């Protein structure tokens, strides 16, 4: 079946540090991959996406590359800010046998950035 | 921001009582989804709709029912609430199938506590 495994948190960094949050997936077929971000007390917002192998999604300084050979979609940012503190979710859709349009989410990784 | 509202935003109810949560959109999107968010589980799909009166079950549908009589409204009903249904509930919408790259937009969530 389809599933997403992401790095356990919480992750605590100092401002301007480099961020990596690991995400690997299990799916057959050709899934699309997403990173969503949830700020405190809010719903989820799409951060970036990639719809085919070797695509790189990027937004607000965050990047992730769809690696089919390693079934990974790791999130990176070169210099984090306090305002990046949030919960980050990796997700996929479109794997073979998946429910119409359904997103499969990882458990989420809490990021806290200190000034 | 996508025009999605959820009501109520917070609710406390007693075990055994019926509860209805409402999701309202102003985007005229065809697809609507209900997820629940619990610590350690990420988001899990409860039910979804692919058109007026067209609904189907997700992975955690037991104890929940849904209705969609108008494009803009998607109702989630707990017929007889249990403590295991204490959670944060998110509605999402998308214009077309997410596996074709269409984004899911999330509402602000409803925090439900069953005592």
């Amino acid at each position: 079946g389809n599933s997403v495994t992401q790095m356990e948190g919480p992750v605590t960094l100092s401002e301007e540090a480099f961020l990596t949050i690991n995400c690997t997936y299990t799916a057959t077929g050709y899934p699309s991959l997403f990173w969503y971000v949830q700020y405190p007390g809010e719903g989820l917002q799409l951060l970036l996406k990639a719809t085919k192998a070797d695509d790189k999604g990027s937004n607000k300084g965050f990047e992730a590359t769809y690696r089919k050979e390693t079934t990974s979609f790791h999130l990176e940012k070169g210099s984090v800010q306090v305002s990046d503190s949030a919960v980050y979710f990796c997700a996929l859709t479109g794997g073979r046998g998946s429910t119409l349009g359904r997103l499969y989410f990882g458990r989420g990784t809490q990021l806290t950035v200190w000034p | 921001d996508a025009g999605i509202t959820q009501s109520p935003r917070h609710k406390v109810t007693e075990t055994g009582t019926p509860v209805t949560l409402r999701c309202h959109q102003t985007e005229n999107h065809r697809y609507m989804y209900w997820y629940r968010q619990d610590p350690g589980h990420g988001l899990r799909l409860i039910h979804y709709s692919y058109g007026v009166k067209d609904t189907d079950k997700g992975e955690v549908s037991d104890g929940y029912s849904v209705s969609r009589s108008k494009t803009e409204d998607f109702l989630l009903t707990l017929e007889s609430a249990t403590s295991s249904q204490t959670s944060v509930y998110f509605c999402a919408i998308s214009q077309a199938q997410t596996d074709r790259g269409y984004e899911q937009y999330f509402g602000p969530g409803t925090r439900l506590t069953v005592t």
Side-chain angles (χ1 to χ4, degrees):
Chain A
N2 302 302
S3 66
V4 174
T5 302
Q6 67 180 96
M7 177 175 167
E8 295 275 337
V11 174
T12 303
L13 295 173
S14 297
E15 205 164 28
E16 299 184 3
F18 184 86
L19 169 71
T20 300
I21 300 178
N22 291 334
C23 171
T24 57
Y25 68 89
T26 301
T28 53
Y30 303 93
S32 295
L33 301 173
F34 304 83
W35 276 101
Y36 277 84
V37 59
Q38 184 180 30
Y39 298 102
E42 298 183 9
L44 279 71
Q45 302 172 28
L46 180 66
L47 181 59
L48 53 84
K49 68 179 182 184
T51 57
K52 61 182 187 297
D54 299 325
D55 269 2
K56 178 185 283 188
S58 61
N59 186 25
K60 300 181 181 179
F62 291 89
E63 293 183 340
T65 301
Y66 187 159
R67 301 285 189 200
K68 195 167 178 65
E69 64 275 14
T70 54
T71 62
S72 65
F73 193 55
H74 304 320
L75 183 68
E76 297 182 336
K77 187 175 186 183
S79 177
V80 294
Q81 305 300 311
V82 172
S83 58
D84 294 327
S85 298
V87 181
Y88 292 82
F89 292 92
C90 185
L92 73 81
T93 190
R96 190 171 301 149
S98 61
T99 298
L100 189 66
R102 180 202 160 177
L103 284 167
Y104 295 80
F105 284 91
R107 295 184 176 186
T109 302
Q110 171 75 55
L111 170 67
T112 301
V113 180
W114 296 99
Chain B
D1 290 344
I4 311 171
T5 56
Q6 292 184 233
S7 58
R9 293 293 313 279
H10 302 271
K11 186 170 182 66
V12 179
T13 192
E14 294 186 348
T15 298
T17 59
V19 177
T20 296
L21 308 183
R22 180 185 184 228
C23 177
H24 179 77
Q25 61 145 328
T26 58
E27 305 296 324
N28 201 36
H29 284 0
R30 178 181 174 189
Y31 294 82
M32 299 186 76
Y33 309 84
W34 276 108
Y35 293 90
R36 59 179 289 174
Q37 183 180 26
D38 303 291
H41 289 278
L43 277 78
R44 293 178 291 174
L45 183 68
I46 306 171
H47 281 280
Y48 65 100
S49 170
Y50 45 97
V52 173
K53 299 194 189 312
D54 291 323
T55 64
D56 208 343
K57 297 178 179 180
E59 66 174 314
V60 290
S61 59
D62 288 348
Y64 302 95
S65 62
V66 290
S67 66
R68 191 166 178 203
S69 59
K70 297 184 291 184
T71 298
E72 57 266 35
D73 288 325
F74 192 32
L75 304 181
L76 176 71
T77 297
L78 290 66
E79 301 291 346
S80 177
T82 68
S83 58
S84 65
Q85 293 176 311
T86 293
S87 188
V88 180
Y89 292 86
F90 287 99
C91 174
I93 65 173
S94 66
Q95 186 176 2
Q97 292 175 230
T98 313
D99 57 356
R100 295 181 183 175
Y102 288 92
E103 178 177 350
Q104 281 190 25
Y105 298 90
F106 283 78
T110 294
R111 183 173 295 277
L112 176 67
T113 302
V114 183
T115 62

